[in-house]
Amino acid sequence: MLEVILYAVTLGITLSFAAGPVFFVIIETSISQGKTKALMLDLGAALADVIFILIAFYGSQSLISSLEDNIWVSLIGGLAVIVFGGYYILKSKTPGQFKNRVAVKRKRLFFFKGFLLNFLNVGVLFYWIATTVAIGSLVHHERSKMIMVYALIMLTYLTVDMFKIYFANKFKERFKGRNLQMVEKVIGLILLLFGVYIVIRAFL
């Protein structure tokens, strides 16, 4: 049982630091918008993970195969990430006062934003499919133990993310003015690259 717990905790930490779009956006949101909004974004991303877990756990092999072979799934996901990247690059050129005013109006959208960023990344689904296969072989496909491992992974993931959000926000004083604009521009470029990679991979 100890081996299973250690495996779940390790996966949770790995998932939290996986260099995907959500990782960078959570850091930027904590710096520029505050801990609460970063946490809302993180919870939205976690909901997408839970949905992917359910698909991997209960989904039929035919559903998984159809998603894997459907080029439009990757194209739509990649283009959505590119749009997010373009948004951050444009936002980096906007004065801080206007940016904060827009952020207040969109306060309720952070949860949806996190969900969308994660849900449109089809690579996350295949991550959970691979993880489900590994967990199943580790616990001999015992349903109760598999659910426990999933819960431990998500609990570890959210706990580590809370520390990420806290420390990113703690150092926000160093990211004002031009420094914050530079962070947003870098985040935008990273998201653009992720999006382009997802689109190119769809044709390979």
Side-chain angles (χ1 to χ4, degrees):
M1 182 58 70
L2 180 61
E3 178 189 0
V4 174
I5 293 172
L6 289 174
Y7 181 76
V9 170
T10 302
L11 276 180
I13 294 172
T14 304
L15 182 63
S16 179
F17 284 99
V22 175
F23 173 86
F24 297 103
V25 176
I26 286 174
I27 298 295
E28 189 278 334
T29 302
S30 182
I31 293 170
S32 64
Q33 304 290 345
K35 292 179 285 188
T36 303
K37 292 174 182 175
L39 181 59
M40 289 298 293
L41 190 144
D42 196 26
L43 290 174
L47 176 61
D49 278 316
V50 170
I51 292 174
F52 284 147
I53 288 171
L54 292 174
I55 293 173
F57 191 64
Y58 293 107
S60 65
Q61 190 61 42
S62 59
L63 171 63
I64 293 168
S65 297
S66 66
L67 285 173
E68 189 172 13
D69 297 332
N70 194 331
I71 192 173
W72 291 105
V73 173
S74 295
L75 279 177
I76 292 170
L79 289 173
V81 175
I82 289 172
V83 169
F84 274 110
Y87 164 75
Y88 272 94
I89 291 174
L90 290 174
K91 195 172 82 160
S92 69
K93 300 176 182 179
T94 307
Q97 292 84 351
F98 174 77
K99 185 169 53 186
N100 291 336
R101 182 154 40 89
V102 172
V104 172
K105 290 181 181 179
R106 298 183 176 179
K107 185 176 180 181
R108 297 179 182 178
L109 296 180
F110 280 89
F111 183 88
F112 179 69
K113 179 180 176 181
F115 173 81
L116 204 59
L117 263 177
N118 218 22
F119 190 75
L120 291 174
N121 186 357
V122 72
V124 179
L125 172 59
F126 296 129
Y127 166 86
W128 281 115
I129 292 170
T131 300
T132 297
V133 172
I135 292 171
S137 62
L138 186 66
V139 300
H140 307 292
H141 299 281
E142 291 184 37
R143 180 166 294 191
S144 59
K145 287 185 178 179
M146 289 184 74
I147 292 171
M148 182 196 73
V149 173
Y150 285 131
L152 276 173
I153 291 172
M154 293 306 298
L155 180 62
T156 304
Y157 164 74
L158 288 171
T159 301
V160 174
D161 269 13
M162 284 181 188
F163 280 102
K164 267 182 357 194
I165 290 167
Y166 171 77
F167 283 108
N169 184 260
K170 195 171 181 64
F171 292 104
K172 68 180 179 181
E173 294 300 320
R174 299 184 182 182
F175 295 98
K176 286 186 174 180
R178 289 187 177 276
N179 288 335
L180 179 58
Q181 288 177 320
M182 181 60 68
V183 169
E184 289 173 337
K185 189 173 291 185
V186 170
I187 297 296
L189 289 172
I190 290 171
L191 291 178
L192 279 175
L193 290 174
F194 268 112
V196 170
Y197 169 73
I198 292 170
V199 170
I200 292 174
R201 192 177 61 179
F203 293 97
L204 298 178

